[in-house]
């Protein structure tokens, strides 16, 4: 995939505006924007952020999902809206993938970092019983013999590196767009696609519920998953230590937001988080963590390097 634009990230990303909001926003219901579906990891993290803010005495926020454009659809709407009444929850890798490939880094740079709310999620390559596949070697063989369909959220999503690496290593694999873990599991378990890429934590959650479950063929973290210690990493399979990555979620304010608005959201998301809210995330709760705006900037710089490494 060709890189349309290669701009250097502005270290500060954007300056906070001096719009005088006073403190009226403290009692104004916030709108929390996010991409993908309500059942996706992004949707669950957005609900968690909204619940945490409500637990701090704020009016219950309104969640607004804007799927589309490889996970980038919420950004233009967010930038066009008013400051002081809305925040964006997004994984920074998706922002950078789209910024690089679609020439939209200027839009990403306008976002005002507030806080990082999760540590890194890893992804996993899965298959279902209907595929007949038992190992990575089976994937390579079947892809060459008859072609295989791979379900994922798109090459410009946080699953993009895994999708690209699998397709490159197993000629005959083609992507099928399924935006969200729920749709990917459905495609794989029904046999609509032979394989799929989802978060490792979501696989563990599905297995904990019982019923039909997928088989994990590989994971894409730097080390083997604690939930699946017998499953090799993709880096192990390829003999290439560079074939690993994670992605994480952060919260942003629109450009022009007052420093008091940004600081108040940052304080409310600084943790510790109510235990009942963390436990409501199930397996995903293991990734919840509080981090400041500087951590967001550092993560975005890292994700920019990941995006540019293969786009």
């Amino acid at each position: 995939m060709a890189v349309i634009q290669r701009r250097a990230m502005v270290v500060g990303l954007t300056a906070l505006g001096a719009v005088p909001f006073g403190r009226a926003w403290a009692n104004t219901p916030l709108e929390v924007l996010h991409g993908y579906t309500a059942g996706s990891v992004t949707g669950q993290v957005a609900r968690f952020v909204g619940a945490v803010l409500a637990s701090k005495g704020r009016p219950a926020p309104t969640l607004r999902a804007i799927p589309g454009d490889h996970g980038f659809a919420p950004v233009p709407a967010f930038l066009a809206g008013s400051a002081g009444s809305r925040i964006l929850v997004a994984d920074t890798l998706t922002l950078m993938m789209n910024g690089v490939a679609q020439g939209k880094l200027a839009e990403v740079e306008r976002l005002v970092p507030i806080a990082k709310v999760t540590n890194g999620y890893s992804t996993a390559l899965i298959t279902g019983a209907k595929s007949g596949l038992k190992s990575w070697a089976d994937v390579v063989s079947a892809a060459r013999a008859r072609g295989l369909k791979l379900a994922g959220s798109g090459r410009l999503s946080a699953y993009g590196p895994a999708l690209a690496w699998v397709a490159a290593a197993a000629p005959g694999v083609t992507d099928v767009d399924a935006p969200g873990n729920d749709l990917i599991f459905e495609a794989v378990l029904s046999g609509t696609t032979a394989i799929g890429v989802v978060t490792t934590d979501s696989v563990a959650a599905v297995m904990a519920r019982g019923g039909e479950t997928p088989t994990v063929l590989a994971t894409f973290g730097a080390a083997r998953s604690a939930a699946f210690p017998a499953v090799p990493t993709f880096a192990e399979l390829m003999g290439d230590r560079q074939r690993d990555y994670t992605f994480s979620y952060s919260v942003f304010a629109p450009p022009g937001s007052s420093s008091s608005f940004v600081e108040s959201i940052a304080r409310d998301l600084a943790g510790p988080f109510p235990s009942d809210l963390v436990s409501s995330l199930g397996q995903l709760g293991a990734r919840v963590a509080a981090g400041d705006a500087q951590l967001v900037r550092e993560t975005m710089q890292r994700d920019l390097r990941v995006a540019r490494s293969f786009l």
Side-chain angles (χ1 to χ4, degrees), residues 116-168:
K116 186 174 179 179
V117 292
T118 73
N119 288 321
Y121 288 91
S122 64
T123 50
L125 179 67
I126 62 170
T127 189
K130 292 182 174 64
S131 73
L133 304 173
K134 303 296 183 183
S135 66
W136 170 249
D138 290 345
V139 171
V140 175
S141 177
R144 288 174 176 167
R146 63 179 187 271
L148 292 178
K149 292 181 179 180
L150 168 63
S153 294
R155 293 288 182 99
L156 299 186
S157 72
Y159 298 173
L163 298 174
W165 293 337
V166 168

Short mmCIF file of all heavy atoms in Angstrom, two decimals, residues 116-168:
data_model
loop_
_atom_site.label_atom_id
_atom_site.label_comp_id
_atom_site.label_asym_id
_atom_site.label_seq_id
_atom_site.Cartn_x
_atom_site.Cartn_y
_atom_site.Cartn_z
N LYS A 116 -4.42 8.51 28.42
CA LYS A 116 -4.37 7.15 27.91
C LYS A 116 -5.13 6.27 28.90
O LYS A 116 -4.92 6.36 30.11
CB LYS A 116 -2.93 6.69 27.79
CG LYS A 116 -2.74 5.33 27.12
CD LYS A 116 -1.26 5.03 26.94
CE LYS A 116 -1.05 3.66 26.31
NZ LYS A 116 0.38 3.36 26.08
N VAL A 117 -6.05 5.41 28.38
CA VAL A 117 -6.92 4.66 29.30
C VAL A 117 -6.72 3.15 29.25
O VAL A 117 -7.32 2.42 30.04
CB VAL A 117 -8.41 4.99 29.06
CG1 VAL A 117 -8.70 6.42 29.46
CG2 VAL A 117 -8.81 4.74 27.62
N THR A 118 -5.88 2.65 28.35
CA THR A 118 -5.57 1.22 28.37
C THR A 118 -4.11 1.01 28.03
O THR A 118 -3.48 1.82 27.36
CB THR A 118 -6.39 0.39 27.35
OG1 THR A 118 -5.92 0.65 26.02
CG2 THR A 118 -7.87 0.69 27.44
N ASN A 119 -3.59 -0.12 28.50
CA ASN A 119 -2.30 -0.61 28.03
C ASN A 119 -2.51 -1.33 26.71
O ASN A 119 -3.62 -1.40 26.18
CB ASN A 119 -1.68 -1.55 29.06
CG ASN A 119 -1.20 -0.79 30.29
OD1 ASN A 119 -0.67 0.31 30.18
ND2 ASN A 119 -1.39 -1.38 31.47
N GLY A 120 -1.44 -1.91 26.17
CA GLY A 120 -1.51 -2.47 24.83
C GLY A 120 -2.30 -3.76 24.71
O GLY A 120 -2.13 -4.69 25.50
N TYR A 121 -3.18 -3.79 23.73
CA TYR A 121 -3.88 -5.02 23.34
C TYR A 121 -3.04 -5.73 22.28
O TYR A 121 -2.50 -5.10 21.36
CB TYR A 121 -5.24 -4.70 22.72
CG TYR A 121 -6.28 -4.22 23.69
CD1 TYR A 121 -6.44 -2.87 23.94
CD2 TYR A 121 -7.11 -5.11 24.34
CE1 TYR A 121 -7.40 -2.41 24.82
CE2 TYR A 121 -8.09 -4.66 25.23
CZ TYR A 121 -8.22 -3.31 25.46
OH TYR A 121 -9.18 -2.86 26.34
N SER A 122 -2.97 -7.06 22.38
CA SER A 122 -2.35 -7.83 21.31
C SER A 122 -3.46 -8.48 20.48
O SER A 122 -4.62 -8.55 20.91
CB SER A 122 -1.42 -8.91 21.86
OG SER A 122 -2.15 -9.86 22.62
N THR A 123 -3.13 -8.94 19.30
CA THR A 123 -4.10 -9.57 18.42
C THR A 123 -3.75 -11.04 18.22
O THR A 123 -2.64 -11.48 18.52
CB THR A 123 -4.16 -8.85 17.06
OG1 THR A 123 -2.83 -8.69 16.56
CG2 THR A 123 -4.80 -7.49 17.19
N ALA A 124 -4.72 -11.79 17.70
CA ALA A 124 -4.54 -13.23 17.52
C ALA A 124 -5.13 -13.65 16.18
O ALA A 124 -6.13 -13.11 15.72
CB ALA A 124 -5.22 -14.00 18.65
N LEU A 125 -4.50 -14.63 15.57
CA LEU A 125 -5.02 -15.26 14.35
C LEU A 125 -5.84 -16.47 14.79
O LEU A 125 -5.34 -17.36 15.47
CB LEU A 125 -3.87 -15.70 13.45
CG LEU A 125 -4.27 -16.40 12.14
CD1 LEU A 125 -4.98 -15.44 11.20
CD2 LEU A 125 -3.04 -17.00 11.46
N ILE A 126 -7.12 -16.49 14.39
CA ILE A 126 -8.01 -17.57 14.84
C ILE A 126 -8.62 -18.31 13.64
O ILE A 126 -8.63 -17.81 12.52
CB ILE A 126 -9.15 -17.03 15.72
CG1 ILE A 126 -10.03 -16.05 14.93
CG2 ILE A 126 -8.60 -16.39 16.98
CD1 ILE A 126 -11.31 -15.65 15.64
N THR A 127 -9.12 -19.49 13.92
CA THR A 127 -9.86 -20.27 12.93
C THR A 127 -10.99 -21.00 13.63
O THR A 127 -11.02 -21.07 14.87
CB THR A 127 -8.93 -21.28 12.20
OG1 THR A 127 -9.64 -21.86 11.11
CG2 THR A 127 -8.48 -22.38 13.15
N GLY A 128 -11.93 -21.52 12.85
CA GLY A 128 -13.05 -22.26 13.41
C GLY A 128 -13.01 -23.72 12.99
O GLY A 128 -12.25 -24.11 12.10
N ALA A 129 -13.86 -24.54 13.61
CA ALA A 129 -13.86 -25.98 13.33
C ALA A 129 -14.19 -26.28 11.87
O ALA A 129 -13.69 -27.25 11.30
CB ALA A 129 -14.87 -26.67 14.25
N LYS A 130 -15.02 -25.45 11.26
CA LYS A 130 -15.45 -25.71 9.88
C LYS A 130 -14.33 -25.56 8.86
O LYS A 130 -14.42 -26.07 7.75
CB LYS A 130 -16.62 -24.79 9.52
CG LYS A 130 -17.91 -25.09 10.26
CD LYS A 130 -19.03 -24.16 9.81
CE LYS A 130 -20.35 -24.55 10.45
NZ LYS A 130 -20.33 -24.40 11.91
N SER A 131 -13.25 -24.86 9.23
CA SER A 131 -12.16 -24.64 8.28
C SER A 131 -11.29 -25.87 8.09
O SER A 131 -10.64 -26.04 7.05
CB SER A 131 -11.28 -23.48 8.74
OG SER A 131 -10.47 -23.87 9.86
N GLY A 132 -11.21 -26.72 9.12
CA GLY A 132 -10.32 -27.88 9.07
C GLY A 132 -8.87 -27.54 9.32
O GLY A 132 -8.00 -28.42 9.25
N LEU A 133 -8.57 -26.30 9.62
CA LEU A 133 -7.19 -25.87 9.84
C LEU A 133 -6.79 -26.11 11.29
O LEU A 133 -7.56 -25.84 12.21
CB LEU A 133 -7.04 -24.39 9.50
CG LEU A 133 -7.46 -23.96 8.09
CD1 LEU A 133 -7.42 -22.44 7.96
CD2 LEU A 133 -6.57 -24.62 7.04
N LYS A 134 -5.57 -26.59 11.49
CA LYS A 134 -5.08 -26.90 12.83
C LYS A 134 -3.84 -26.11 13.21
O LYS A 134 -3.48 -26.05 14.39
CB LYS A 134 -4.77 -28.39 12.95
CG LYS A 134 -5.95 -29.31 12.62
CD LYS A 134 -7.09 -29.15 13.60
CE LYS A 134 -8.21 -30.15 13.30
NZ LYS A 134 -9.37 -29.95 14.21
N SER A 135 -3.15 -25.55 12.23
CA SER A 135 -1.87 -24.89 12.50
C SER A 135 -1.59 -23.84 11.44
O SER A 135 -2.28 -23.77 10.41
CB SER A 135 -0.74 -25.92 12.51
OG SER A 135 -0.56 -26.47 11.20
N TRP A 136 -0.53 -23.06 11.67
CA TRP A 136 -0.10 -22.07 10.68
C TRP A 136 0.33 -22.76 9.40
O TRP A 136 0.06 -22.27 8.29
CB TRP A 136 1.03 -21.22 11.24
CG TRP A 136 1.68 -20.35 10.20
CD1 TRP A 136 2.94 -20.48 9.69
CD2 TRP A 136 1.08 -19.25 9.52
NE1 TRP A 136 3.18 -19.51 8.73
CE2 TRP A 136 2.05 -18.75 8.61
CE3 TRP A 136 -0.16 -18.63 9.58
CZ2 TRP A 136 1.81 -17.65 7.78
CZ3 TRP A 136 -0.41 -17.54 8.74
CH2 TRP A 136 0.56 -17.06 7.86
N ALA A 137 0.97 -23.91 9.51
CA ALA A 137 1.39 -24.65 8.31
C ALA A 137 0.17 -25.02 7.47
O ALA A 137 0.23 -24.98 6.23
CB ALA A 137 2.16 -25.90 8.71
N ASP A 138 -0.94 -25.36 8.13
CA ASP A 138 -2.17 -25.66 7.40
C ASP A 138 -2.68 -24.44 6.66
O ASP A 138 -3.20 -24.54 5.54
CB ASP A 138 -3.26 -26.14 8.37
CG ASP A 138 -2.97 -27.52 8.93
OD1 ASP A 138 -2.11 -28.23 8.38
OD2 ASP A 138 -3.63 -27.89 9.93
N VAL A 139 -2.57 -23.27 7.29
CA VAL A 139 -3.02 -22.03 6.65
C VAL A 139 -2.23 -21.78 5.37
O VAL A 139 -2.80 -21.49 4.31
CB VAL A 139 -2.85 -20.83 7.61
CG1 VAL A 139 -3.10 -19.51 6.88
CG2 VAL A 139 -3.80 -20.96 8.80
N VAL A 140 -0.91 -21.90 5.45
CA VAL A 140 -0.06 -21.66 4.28
C VAL A 140 -0.39 -22.64 3.16
O VAL A 140 -0.54 -22.26 1.99
CB VAL A 140 1.43 -21.77 4.68
CG1 VAL A 140 2.31 -21.65 3.44
CG2 VAL A 140 1.79 -20.69 5.70
N SER A 141 -0.53 -23.91 3.51
CA SER A 141 -0.82 -24.94 2.52
C SER A 141 -2.18 -24.73 1.86
O SER A 141 -2.32 -24.79 0.64
CB SER A 141 -0.76 -26.33 3.17
OG SER A 141 -1.09 -27.34 2.25
N ALA A 142 -3.21 -24.47 2.67
CA ALA A 142 -4.56 -24.29 2.14
C ALA A 142 -4.67 -23.02 1.31
O ALA A 142 -5.38 -22.99 0.29
CB ALA A 142 -5.57 -24.26 3.29
N ALA A 143 -3.98 -21.97 1.72
CA ALA A 143 -4.02 -20.72 0.98
C ALA A 143 -3.45 -20.91 -0.42
O ALA A 143 -3.98 -20.39 -1.42
CB ALA A 143 -3.26 -19.63 1.72
N ARG A 144 -2.37 -21.65 -0.51
CA ARG A 144 -1.75 -21.90 -1.82
C ARG A 144 -2.62 -22.81 -2.69
O ARG A 144 -2.71 -22.62 -3.91
CB ARG A 144 -0.38 -22.52 -1.63
CG ARG A 144 0.66 -21.54 -1.10
CD ARG A 144 1.97 -22.25 -0.78
NE ARG A 144 2.99 -21.29 -0.35
CZ ARG A 144 4.14 -21.64 0.22
NH1 ARG A 144 4.40 -22.93 0.46
NH2 ARG A 144 5.01 -20.72 0.58
N ALA A 145 -3.27 -23.77 -2.05
CA ALA A 145 -4.05 -24.76 -2.81
C ALA A 145 -5.39 -24.22 -3.30
O ALA A 145 -5.77 -24.46 -4.45
CB ALA A 145 -4.27 -26.00 -1.95
N ARG A 146 -6.08 -23.50 -2.43
CA ARG A 146 -7.44 -23.10 -2.82
C ARG A 146 -7.79 -21.65 -2.46
O ARG A 146 -8.87 -21.17 -2.79
CB ARG A 146 -8.46 -24.03 -2.13
CG ARG A 146 -8.45 -23.99 -0.61
CD ARG A 146 -9.50 -24.93 -0.01
NE ARG A 146 -9.65 -24.80 1.42
CZ ARG A 146 -8.95 -25.48 2.31
NH1 ARG A 146 -8.00 -26.33 1.90
NH2 ARG A 146 -9.16 -25.32 3.61
N GLY A 147 -6.88 -20.94 -1.79
CA GLY A 147 -7.18 -19.58 -1.35
C GLY A 147 -7.98 -19.61 -0.06
O GLY A 147 -8.78 -20.51 0.17
N LEU A 148 -7.76 -18.63 0.79
CA LEU A 148 -8.46 -18.53 2.06
C LEU A 148 -8.92 -17.09 2.29
O LEU A 148 -8.22 -16.14 1.90
CB LEU A 148 -7.56 -18.94 3.24
CG LEU A 148 -7.13 -20.40 3.35
CD1 LEU A 148 -6.20 -20.57 4.55
CD2 LEU A 148 -8.33 -21.32 3.46
N LYS A 149 -10.07 -16.94 2.94
CA LYS A 149 -10.56 -15.62 3.30
C LYS A 149 -10.20 -15.32 4.75
O LYS A 149 -10.32 -16.19 5.63
CB LYS A 149 -12.08 -15.55 3.11
CG LYS A 149 -12.50 -15.61 1.64
CD LYS A 149 -14.01 -15.51 1.51
CE LYS A 149 -14.43 -15.56 0.04
NZ LYS A 149 -15.91 -15.46 -0.11
N LEU A 150 -9.78 -14.09 4.99
CA LEU A 150 -9.32 -13.64 6.30
C LEU A 150 -10.20 -12.48 6.76
O LEU A 150 -10.23 -11.42 6.13
CB LEU A 150 -7.86 -13.19 6.21
CG LEU A 150 -7.26 -12.42 7.38
CD1 LEU A 150 -7.24 -13.27 8.64
CD2 LEU A 150 -5.83 -11.96 7.03
N ALA A 151 -10.93 -12.65 7.86
CA ALA A 151 -11.80 -11.61 8.38
C ALA A 151 -11.04 -10.68 9.32
O ALA A 151 -10.30 -11.14 10.19
CB ALA A 151 -12.99 -12.22 9.13
N GLY A 152 -11.21 -9.39 9.14
CA GLY A 152 -10.58 -8.41 10.00
C GLY A 152 -11.25 -7.06 9.81
O GLY A 152 -12.16 -6.91 9.00
N SER A 153 -10.79 -6.09 10.57
CA SER A 153 -11.40 -4.76 10.52
C SER A 153 -10.75 -3.82 9.52
O SER A 153 -10.95 -2.61 9.59
CB SER A 153 -11.38 -4.12 11.93
OG SER A 153 -12.21 -4.86 12.81
N GLY A 154 -9.96 -4.37 8.60
CA GLY A 154 -9.38 -3.54 7.55
C GLY A 154 -7.91 -3.24 7.76
O GLY A 154 -7.42 -3.17 8.88
N ARG A 155 -7.20 -3.05 6.64
CA ARG A 155 -5.75 -2.81 6.70
C ARG A 155 -5.39 -1.50 7.39
O ARG A 155 -4.25 -1.33 7.82
CB ARG A 155 -5.18 -2.81 5.27
CG ARG A 155 -5.24 -4.15 4.54
CD ARG A 155 -4.26 -5.15 5.10
NE ARG A 155 -4.31 -6.39 4.37
CZ ARG A 155 -3.44 -6.73 3.41
NH1 ARG A 155 -2.47 -5.90 3.06
NH2 ARG A 155 -3.55 -7.90 2.80
N LEU A 156 -6.32 -0.56 7.48
CA LEU A 156 -6.02 0.72 8.13
C LEU A 156 -6.53 0.77 9.56
O LEU A 156 -6.49 1.81 10.20
CB LEU A 156 -6.59 1.88 7.32
CG LEU A 156 -6.06 2.02 5.89
CD1 LEU A 156 -6.59 3.29 5.24
CD2 LEU A 156 -4.53 2.02 5.88
N SER A 157 -7.02 -0.36 10.06
CA SER A 157 -7.44 -0.45 11.45
C SER A 157 -6.26 -0.89 12.32
O SER A 157 -5.16 -1.14 11.81
CB SER A 157 -8.58 -1.45 11.60
OG SER A 157 -8.08 -2.78 11.45
N ALA A 158 -6.50 -1.03 13.61
CA ALA A 158 -5.45 -1.52 14.51
C ALA A 158 -5.08 -2.96 14.21
O ALA A 158 -4.05 -3.46 14.68
CB ALA A 158 -5.90 -1.38 15.95
N TYR A 159 -5.90 -3.66 13.43
CA TYR A 159 -5.59 -5.04 13.05
C TYR A 159 -4.75 -5.08 11.77
O TYR A 159 -4.35 -6.16 11.32
CB TYR A 159 -6.88 -5.84 12.83
CG TYR A 159 -7.76 -5.98 14.04
CD1 TYR A 159 -9.01 -6.55 13.94
CD2 TYR A 159 -7.35 -5.55 15.29
CE1 TYR A 159 -9.84 -6.70 15.05
CE2 TYR A 159 -8.17 -5.68 16.40
CZ TYR A 159 -9.40 -6.26 16.28
OH TYR A 159 -10.21 -6.39 17.38
N GLY A 160 -4.50 -3.91 11.18
CA GLY A 160 -3.84 -3.83 9.89
C GLY A 160 -2.50 -4.54 9.78
O GLY A 160 -2.29 -5.30 8.82
N PRO A 161 -1.57 -4.34 10.72
CA PRO A 161 -0.29 -5.04 10.61
C PRO A 161 -0.45 -6.55 10.56
O PRO A 161 0.17 -7.22 9.74
CB PRO A 161 0.47 -4.59 11.87
CG PRO A 161 -0.10 -3.24 12.18
CD PRO A 161 -1.56 -3.37 11.84
N ALA A 162 -1.31 -7.11 11.42
CA ALA A 162 -1.52 -8.56 11.43
C ALA A 162 -2.10 -9.03 10.11
O ALA A 162 -1.67 -10.05 9.55
CB ALA A 162 -2.44 -8.95 12.59
N LEU A 163 -3.10 -8.32 9.59
CA LEU A 163 -3.71 -8.70 8.31
C LEU A 163 -2.69 -8.68 7.18
O LEU A 163 -2.64 -9.60 6.35
CB LEU A 163 -4.87 -7.75 7.99
CG LEU A 163 -6.05 -7.74 8.97
CD1 LEU A 163 -7.04 -6.64 8.60
CD2 LEU A 163 -6.74 -9.09 9.00
N ALA A 164 -1.88 -7.65 7.15
CA ALA A 164 -0.88 -7.52 6.09
C ALA A 164 0.18 -8.61 6.18
O ALA A 164 0.58 -9.19 5.17
CB ALA A 164 -0.24 -6.14 6.15
N TRP A 165 0.64 -8.89 7.41
CA TRP A 165 1.69 -9.89 7.58
C TRP A 165 1.20 -11.29 7.22
O TRP A 165 1.92 -12.07 6.60
CB TRP A 165 2.21 -9.86 9.01
CG TRP A 165 2.94 -8.59 9.35
CD1 TRP A 165 3.53 -7.72 8.48
CD2 TRP A 165 3.13 -8.03 10.66
NE1 TRP A 165 4.08 -6.66 9.15
CE2 TRP A 165 3.86 -6.82 10.48
CE3 TRP A 165 2.75 -8.43 11.93
CZ2 TRP A 165 4.21 -6.02 11.57
CZ3 TRP A 165 3.11 -7.63 13.01
CH2 TRP A 165 3.83 -6.43 12.83
N VAL A 166 -0.04 -11.62 7.62
CA VAL A 166 -0.59 -12.95 7.30
C VAL A 166 -0.73 -13.11 5.79
O VAL A 166 -0.34 -14.13 5.21
CB VAL A 166 -1.96 -13.15 7.98
CG1 VAL A 166 -2.66 -14.39 7.43
CG2 VAL A 166 -1.77 -13.29 9.49
N ALA A 167 -1.27 -12.09 5.12
CA ALA A 167 -1.46 -12.17 3.67
C ALA A 167 -0.13 -12.28 2.93
O ALA A 167 -0.02 -12.99 1.92
CB ALA A 167 -2.24 -10.96 3.18
N ALA A 168 0.89 -11.59 3.44
CA ALA A 168 2.20 -11.64 2.79
C ALA A 168 2.88 -12.99 2.98
O ALA A 168 3.59 -13.48 2.09
CB ALA A 168 3.09 -10.52 3.32
#
